[in-house]
Amino acid sequence: RFYLATSPHAAAAILQDRGVRAVLAYDATRTAQNSAAILGTPVSPEALCFTLDRAPSHAPPFLTLVGEDSAAKIYRVNP
């Protein structure tokens, strides 16, 4: 649900409820397809997975990009 979230508030709540400290983002299309298949829900073009993979400078303020390579990006979850 986190990767398909379209609301920063909803995404932050998911991370907080689970005590997540870091988020890995990679191939947004694949992440969206897999998440939609697992959850049985459609994917919005505004889904967070697209932002995290393709526009890290637009990530919500509770996530800080701390590393990346050609395959993936790692974000720290800010308290």
Side-chain angles (χ1 to χ4, degrees), residues 33-60:
Q33 290 172 342
N34 289 340
S35 296
I38 290 167
L39 297 171
T41 60
V43 179
S44 166
E46 303 299 319
L48 187 56
C49 62
F50 296 116
T51 301
L52 298 180
D53 182 38
R54 299 176 183 166
S57 64
H58 295 283

Side-chain angles (χ1 to χ4, degrees), residues 9-78:
H9 178 73
I14 291 167
L15 297 180
Q16 184 177 10
D17 288 348
R18 289 164 178 75
V20 175
R21 295 175 47 191
V23 171
L24 179 67
Y26 85 113
D27 187 344
T29 301
R30 189 173 196 175
T31 301
Q33 290 172 342
N34 289 340
S35 296
I38 290 167
L39 297 171
T41 60
V43 179
S44 166
E46 303 299 319
L48 187 56
C49 62
F50 296 116
T51 301
L52 298 180
D53 182 38
R54 299 176 183 166
S57 64
H58 295 283
F62 59 86
L63 295 174
T64 301
L65 182 65
V66 294
E68 67 179 299
D69 64 17
S70 61
K73 294 169 183 65
I74 300 173
Y75 293 86
R76 179 183 67 235
V77 179
N78 302 317

